[in-house]
Coordinates of all heavy atoms in Angstrom, one line a residue:
D2191 N -101.9 2.1 6.1 CA -103.2 2.1 6.3 C -104.0 0.9 5.8 O -104.4 0.8 4.5 CB -103.7 3.4 5.6 CG -105.2 3.7 5.9 OD1 -105.9 2.8 6.8 OD2 -105.8 4.8 5.5
L2192 N -104.0 -0.1 6.5 CA -104.5 -1.4 6.0 C -105.9 -1.3 5.6 O -106.4 -2.0 4.8 CB -104.2 -2.6 7.1 CG -102.6 -2.8 7.3 CD1 -102.5 -3.8 8.3 CD2 -102.0 -3.3 6.0
A2193 N -106.8 -0.6 6.4 CA -108.2 -0.6 6.3 C -108.5 0.0 4.9 O -109.3 -0.5 4.1 CB -108.9 0.1 7.3
E2194 N -107.8 1.0 4.4 CA -108.0 1.8 3.3 C -107.5 1.0 2.1 O -108.1 0.9 1.0 CB -107.3 3.1 3.3 CG -107.4 4.0 1.9 CD -108.8 4.3 1.7 OE1 -109.6 4.5 2.6 OE2 -109.2 4.7 0.5
A2195 N -106.4 0.3 2.3 CA -105.8 -0.7 1.3 C -106.8 -1.7 1.0 O -107.0 -2.3 -0.2 CB -104.5 -1.3 1.8
I2196 N -107.5 -2.4 2.1 CA -108.4 -3.4 1.8 C -109.6 -3.1 1.0 O -110.1 -3.8 0.1 CB -108.9 -4.0 3.1 CG1 -107.7 -4.8 3.8 CG2 -110.1 -5.0 2.9 CD1 -107.9 -5.2 5.2
D2197 N -110.0 -1.8 1.2 CA -111.1 -1.3 0.5 C -110.9 -1.1 -0.9 O -111.5 -1.4 -1.9 CB -111.6 0.1 1.1 CG -112.3 0.1 2.4 OD1 -112.7 -1.1 2.8 OD2 -112.3 0.9 3.2
N2198 N -109.7 -0.6 -1.2 CA -109.2 -0.3 -2.7 C -108.9 -1.7 -3.3 O -109.2 -1.9 -4.5 CB -107.9 0.5 -2.7 CG -108.1 2.0 -2.2 OD1 -109.1 2.5 -2.7 ND2 -107.2 2.5 -1.5
Q2199 N -108.5 -2.7 -2.5 CA -108.4 -4.1 -3.2 C -109.6 -4.7 -3.5 O -109.7 -5.3 -4.5 CB -107.6 -4.8 -2.1 CG -106.1 -4.4 -2.1 CD -105.3 -5.3 -1.0 OE1 -106.0 -5.8 0.0 NE2 -104.0 -5.3 -1.0
A2200 N -110.7 -4.4 -2.7 CA -112.0 -4.9 -3.0 C -112.5 -4.3 -4.3 O -113.2 -5.0 -5.1 CB -112.9 -4.7 -1.8
Q2201 N -112.4 -3.0 -4.4 CA -112.8 -2.3 -5.5 C -112.0 -2.8 -6.8 O -112.6 -3.0 -7.9 CB -112.5 -0.9 -5.5 CG -113.3 -0.1 -4.4 CD -113.0 1.4 -4.2 OE1 -112.3 1.9 -5.0 NE2 -113.5 2.0 -3.1
A2202 N -110.7 -3.1 -6.7 CA -110.0 -3.6 -7.8 C -110.4 -5.0 -8.2 O -110.5 -5.3 -9.4 CB -108.5 -3.7 -7.3
M2203 N -110.8 -5.8 -7.3 CA -111.2 -7.2 -7.5 C -112.6 -7.1 -8.2 O -112.9 -7.8 -9.2 CB -111.4 -8.0 -6.3 CG -110.0 -8.5 -5.7 SD -110.1 -9.6 -4.3 CE -110.7 -8.5 -3.1
E2204 N -113.5 -6.2 -7.8 CA -114.8 -6.0 -8.4 C -114.6 -5.6 -9.9 O -115.4 -6.0 -10.8 CB -115.7 -5.1 -7.6 CG -117.1 -5.0 -8.2 CD -117.8 -6.2 -8.2 OE1 -117.7 -7.1 -7.3 OE2 -118.7 -6.3 -9.0
A2205 N -113.7 -4.7 -10.1 CA -113.5 -4.1 -11.5 C -112.8 -5.2 -12.3 O -113.3 -5.4 -13.5 CB -112.4 -3.0 -11.3
L2206 N -112.0 -6.1 -11.8 CA -111.4 -7.3 -12.5 C -112.5 -8.1 -13.0 O -112.5 -8.6 -14.0 CB -110.4 -7.9 -11.7 CG -109.0 -7.1 -11.6 CD1 -108.2 -8.0 -10.6 CD2 -108.4 -7.2 -13.0
R2207 N -113.5 -8.5 -12.0 CA -114.6 -9.3 -12.3 C -115.4 -8.8 -13.5 O -115.8 -9.4 -14.4 CB -115.4 -9.7 -11.1 CG -114.8 -10.4 -10.1 CD -115.7 -10.8 -9.0 NE -115.0 -11.6 -7.9 CZ -114.5 -11.0 -6.9 NH1 -114.8 -9.7 -6.6 NH2 -114.0 -11.7 -5.8
E2208 N -115.7 -7.4 -13.4 CA -116.5 -6.8 -14.4 C -115.8 -6.9 -15.8 O -116.3 -7.2 -16.9 CB -116.8 -5.4 -14.2 CG -117.7 -5.3 -12.9 CD -118.0 -3.7 -12.6 OE1 -117.5 -2.9 -13.3 OE2 -118.6 -3.6 -11.6
G2209 N -114.4 -6.7 -15.7 CA -113.6 -6.7 -16.9 C -113.6 -8.1 -17.5 O -113.7 -8.4 -18.8
M2210 N -113.5 -9.2 -16.7 CA -113.6 -10.6 -17.2 C -114.9 -10.9 -17.8 O -115.0 -11.6 -18.9 CB -113.3 -11.5 -16.1 CG -111.8 -11.4 -15.6 SD -111.5 -12.5 -14.1 CE -111.8 -14.1 -14.8
R2211 N -116.0 -10.4 -17.2 CA -117.3 -10.6 -17.9 C -117.5 -9.9 -19.1 O -118.1 -10.5 -20.1 CB -118.5 -10.2 -16.9 CG -118.7 -11.0 -15.7 CD -120.0 -10.7 -15.0 NE -119.9 -9.3 -14.3 CZ -119.5 -9.2 -13.0 NH1 -119.2 -10.3 -12.3 NH2 -119.3 -7.9 -12.5
A2212 N -116.9 -8.7 -19.3 CA -117.0 -8.0 -20.5 C -116.2 -8.7 -21.6 O -116.5 -8.8 -22.6 CB -116.6 -6.6 -20.4
L2213 N -115.0 -9.2 -21.1 CA -114.2 -9.9 -22.2 C -114.8 -11.2 -22.6 O -114.7 -11.6 -23.7 CB -112.8 -10.2 -21.5 CG -111.8 -11.0 -22.3 CD1 -111.4 -10.2 -23.5 CD2 -110.5 -11.2 -21.6
G2214 N -115.5 -11.8 -21.7 CA -116.3 -13.1 -22.1 C -117.3 -12.7 -23.0 O -117.6 -13.5 -24.1
D2215 N -118.0 -11.7 -22.9 CA -119.1 -11.2 -23.8 C -118.4 -10.9 -25.2 O -119.0 -11.3 -26.3 CB -119.9 -10.0 -23.4 CG -120.6 -10.4 -22.0 OD1 -120.9 -11.6 -22.0 OD2 -120.9 -9.4 -21.3
A2216 N -117.2 -10.3 -25.2 CA -116.5 -10.0 -26.4 C -116.1 -11.2 -27.1 O -116.2 -11.4 -28.3 CB -115.3 -9.1 -26.1
M2217 N -115.7 -12.2 -26.3 CA -115.2 -13.5 -26.9 C -116.4 -14.2 -27.5 O -116.4 -14.9 -28.5 CB -114.5 -14.3 -25.8 CG -113.2 -13.9 -25.4 SD -112.5 -14.8 -24.0 CE -112.3 -16.4 -24.7

Side-chain angles (χ1 to χ4, degrees):
D2191 188 356
L2192 296 177
E2194 180 66 19
I2196 293 173
D2197 292 340
N2198 289 324
Q2199 288 172 341
Q2201 297 175 10
M2203 288 187 290
E2204 182 61 27
L2206 283 173
R2207 295 188 181 96
E2208 293 178 8
M2210 293 175 65
R2211 285 194 291 269
L2213 180 60
D2215 295 339
M2217 292 171 58

